[in-house]
Amino acid sequence: MPLHPEIAADLARAAARGEPPLKDLSAEAGRARAEAEPRAAGAPVKAVETIAIPVGSGAIKARVYRPFGEGDILPGIVYIHGGGWVLCSLDTHDNVCRNLCASVGAVVVSVDYRMAPEHRFPVASDDCLAAVRWVAAHAGDLSIDPAKLIVGGDSAGGNLTAVTALRIRDEGGPTLAGQMLIYPVTDDIAAGHPSYSEFAEGFGLTADDMAWFWDHYVPDPADRTHPHASPLRAETLAGLPPALLLTAGCDVLRDEGEAYAGRLAAAGVTLDFRRYEGLHHGCAGDYGRLKAVAPFFDHIVTWARAIFRL
């Protein structure tokens, strides 16, 4: 199915700017461009606070979003932003986190994990695992119900979400109520999933972009098949928490995400999976700006509220 006309027109406007491809940019230049991209404003929330979470011998920032409404103790979402493990920030995904907070009625903790190339694999994974464990341990201080805690993310953040769920299963908790996987990276780029060829150019995220990301995050090809880089390569997915996995129909990452969904289902993991035809990679950030994205984002909200029994 082709791109939704609204999405196609939006991508055409972006292409008309004539910006150089990501592969021709340094990490610093790529970050500057990502930060400058226009985004829809997020929904109003009751409060936003920046905190520090200890990781290893240092600390990372996180941003805590609190919704309006009743209740002293609320469900929690630890959100891990995308950006190929190299780009994006708490600011680029502020709208996504605000919309989740307001629509789900949950406290959202957005994690500012350390990124490549300054911090290569597996630093981002270590940071995200530490952040989820810290949030679970400090749930009372954050007014979060520890029995209603999910981890979620988009793209590379979806990758880190899947890896965090695997590591929590294998490395001693805490218990998660669910995992939210939004068009996630799940496999080594060398695997040759067909969607890499079908959507290599002209759909936003390109195959060359993904090669650039992998080269920055996991430069040694021998490390790229490790399950903490490519969760599709995990020996088993049994015993993982309930999962939402959404793919965009016109996305280089579509097929590896759907392969992961297939393995989750085969392993007996409770799964809510859907491909949204006509949408492209990164569409969650366009909620509120492009009408075509509304069903996609509404699906995320409906799933989270069901997990939390709201």
Side-chain angles (χ1 to χ4, degrees):
M1 181 177 178
L3 280 168
H4 186 285
E6 186 182 25
I7 302 291
D10 193 59
L11 289 175
R13 286 191 291 270
R17 296 200 295 264
E19 295 175 335
L22 195 56
K23 66 180 181 179
D24 293 341
L25 300 181
S26 66
E28 293 77 11
R31 288 169 184 161
R33 186 166 76 184
E35 295 293 325
E37 287 181 3
R39 291 175 175 83
V45 297
K46 183 177 182 179
V48 181
E49 177 187 9
T50 299
I51 63 172
I53 294 178
V55 294
S57 59
I60 58 173
K61 291 191 300 182
R63 189 173 288 170
V64 182
Y65 299 81
R66 302 184 187 281
F68 292 104
E70 300 294 328
D72 295 328
I73 304 297
L74 297 170
I77 301 171
V78 178
Y79 194 83
I80 306 170
H81 69 75
W85 311 284
V86 179
L87 312 178
C88 297
S89 65
L90 299 180
D91 291 336
T92 63
H93 284 64
D94 178 76
N95 61 342
V96 174
C97 293
R98 286 175 174 273
N99 291 333
L100 282 174
C101 175
S103 299
V104 176
V107 176
V108 175
V109 182
S110 181
V111 178
D112 195 24
Y113 57 92
R114 290 172 290 176
M115 293 189 293
E118 296 85 355
H119 303 281
R120 301 189 191 276
F121 172 81
V123 172
S125 172
D126 292 342
D127 284 356
C128 293
L129 176 62
V132 172
R133 285 179 166 165
W134 187 90
V135 170
H138 294 80
D141 298 332
L142 296 166
S143 300
I144 290 174
D145 181 348
K148 294 183 176 181
L149 180 65
I150 68 175
V151 59
D154 62 284
S155 191
N159 168 275
L160 294 167
T161 294
V163 171
T164 298
L166 283 168
R167 294 186 66 181
I168 283 174
R169 180 198 66 182
D170 297 339
E171 300 175 26
T175 300
L176 294 173
Q179 55 177 320
M180 177 193 297
L181 307 171
I182 304 171
Y183 34 76
V185 183
T186 68
D187 202 9
D188 177 11
I189 190 173
H193 292 280
S195 55
Y196 259 92
S197 299
E198 188 174 355
F199 306 108
E201 294 183 4
F203 297 89
L205 179 70
T206 70
D208 283 345
D209 291 344
M210 283 306 304
W212 187 86
F213 289 136
W214 275 104
D215 286 345
H216 280 73
Y217 181 51
V218 195
D220 186 347
D223 290 336
R224 295 181 181 181
T225 56
H226 192 289
H228 295 171
S230 296
L232 188 60
R233 307 299 181 101
E235 183 176 349
T236 178
L237 302 186
L240 289 171
L244 170 72
L245 199 155
L246 301 184
T247 61
C250 301
D251 180 8
V252 294
L253 301 182
R254 184 193 68 192
D255 291 352
E256 65 193 76
E258 295 181 3
Y260 198 70
R263 285 204 59 203
L264 286 168
V269 176
T270 302
L271 175 68
D272 185 341
F273 162 72
R274 182 172 172 182
R275 175 197 292 183
Y276 277 83
E277 299 287 4
L279 298 189
H280 69 311
H281 191 83
C283 61
D286 292 322
Y287 178 72
R289 188 175 71 86
L290 301 179
K291 292 180 180 179
V293 176
F296 184 95
F297 196 86
D298 290 346
H299 192 152
I300 298 170
V301 171
T302 299
W303 173 83
R305 289 184 62 84
I307 288 289
F308 293 145
R309 299 180 182 177
L310 296 177

